[in-house]
Amino acid sequence: MLCELGGFFTSTDKPGAMEMLTFYYNPLTCSLGVQIALLETGIPHDRVMVNLMGDRSGYQKINPSGTVPALDTEAGVLTESTAILAWLALTYPQARLLPEEAYGFAHGLSLLAWLSSTVHIARRQTKFPARFTTDAAGYVNVQQAGAPQFMSHLQRIDQMLARQRFMMGDLPNACDYQLMAYANWCAIDGIPTGSLPNFELWRQRMLERPAIQQALLTIDSPL
């Protein structure tokens, strides 16, 4: 159950007596990838839904940037999906969120960084053009430039998935969990993915996983 605290919401359901992580998220954002990773690995955590449309002053005491996701750990608060997923992979190696050997770990980070710094930005252009220009007359141009870029990135992902079942081989890992945020955006934005057969097959494989079903139900996803 979620209840409102100032500008954000917190879950009142806390498992057990194990040390808890606190995960800050919003249903419409890229924080879905971290949420799935936490559920897939069974890492105990408390969920806090941040109301990005409301007063964030309370939340900014935790994360000054006011963005999600954020993860409150014993060592401190981490922000940015790539950093959080890397920390989870290193802290809980048994979860196999990323390969343990150096090259595989770095390759996974490169995919996560590409998703957040390139694919995400193209989609952001289509939804939030005001972040790219102060000229309202230029919003349409920004949106029109972002849409084909986002689709071209999905086509690249589709080509990658033609060679393997998941982003880094035969088993899903943090890269796949983060990519589910983009699959969710495709559903939210009404982006047709019928021309991306490998992406579609990958999505179906992912949707069969109970943890992903649970995460999508939590955020009321259209998938």
Side-chain angles (χ1 to χ4, degrees):
M1 185 172 73
L2 296 177
C3 60
E4 185 170 5
L5 283 179
F8 55 97
F9 302 78
T10 181
S11 170
T12 58
D13 301 321
K14 295 191 177 186
M18 297 180 66
E19 179 185 341
M20 295 290 295
L21 300 171
T22 303
F23 169 57
Y24 298 90
Y25 76 107
N26 181 276
L28 299 178
T29 69
C30 65
S31 57
L32 176 61
V34 175
Q35 184 173 355
I36 291 173
L38 290 167
L39 291 171
E40 279 277 1
T41 57
I43 297 169
H45 64 282
D46 191 22
R47 294 183 297 111
V48 177
M49 187 175 79
V50 179
N51 179 7
L52 297 178
M53 301 302 292
D55 177 11
R56 301 191 211 178
S57 58
Y59 176 56
Q60 286 174 322
K61 295 176 182 177
I62 299 165
N63 175 14
S65 70
T67 61
V68 292
L71 189 69
D72 194 357
T73 75
E74 190 175 50
V77 176
L78 287 169
T79 63
E80 304 298 330
S81 296
T82 299
I84 294 171
L85 290 168
W87 181 85
L88 288 171
L90 291 170
T91 306
Y92 302 92
Q94 70 278 10
R96 300 181 184 275
L97 289 174
L98 289 171
E100 291 188 65
E101 50 89 15
Y103 177 82
F105 186 86
H107 179 49
L109 286 185
S110 74
L111 289 173
L112 289 170
W114 176 69
L115 287 171
S116 64
S117 66
T118 303
V119 186
H120 190 158
I121 300 306
R123 191 265 180 173
R124 183 178 289 172
Q125 283 182 242
T126 69
K127 302 297 289 185
F128 307 105
R131 296 189 182 185
F132 297 86
T133 179
T134 57
D135 180 9
Y139 289 174
V140 172
N141 288 337
V142 171
Q143 291 174 311
Q144 289 178 343
Q149 288 179 22
F150 186 66
M151 180 55 71
S152 72
H153 299 322
L154 291 178
Q155 289 168 345
R156 176 181 169 185
I157 292 169
D158 186 72
Q159 292 170 2
M160 293 168 56
L161 293 169
R163 302 188 296 269
Q164 53 205 21
R165 289 172 56 82
F166 298 100
M167 288 286 280
M168 293 188 67
D170 292 332
L171 297 173
N173 70 10
C175 299
D176 298 280
Y177 305 150
Q178 191 60 29
L179 183 56
M180 278 303 299
Y182 299 77
N184 186 53
W185 285 339
C186 287
I188 291 172
D189 297 347
I191 296 174
T193 56
S195 63
L196 307 170
N198 304 304
F199 181 78
E200 286 276 283
L201 286 173
W202 166 87
R203 186 180 65 178
Q204 290 304 314
R205 294 186 191 107
M206 296 295 285
L207 289 175
E208 292 171 358
R209 304 182 69 81
I212 291 177
Q213 294 173 13
Q214 181 181 349
L216 294 176
L217 183 63
T218 297
I219 66 170
D220 195 23
S221 168
L223 284 173

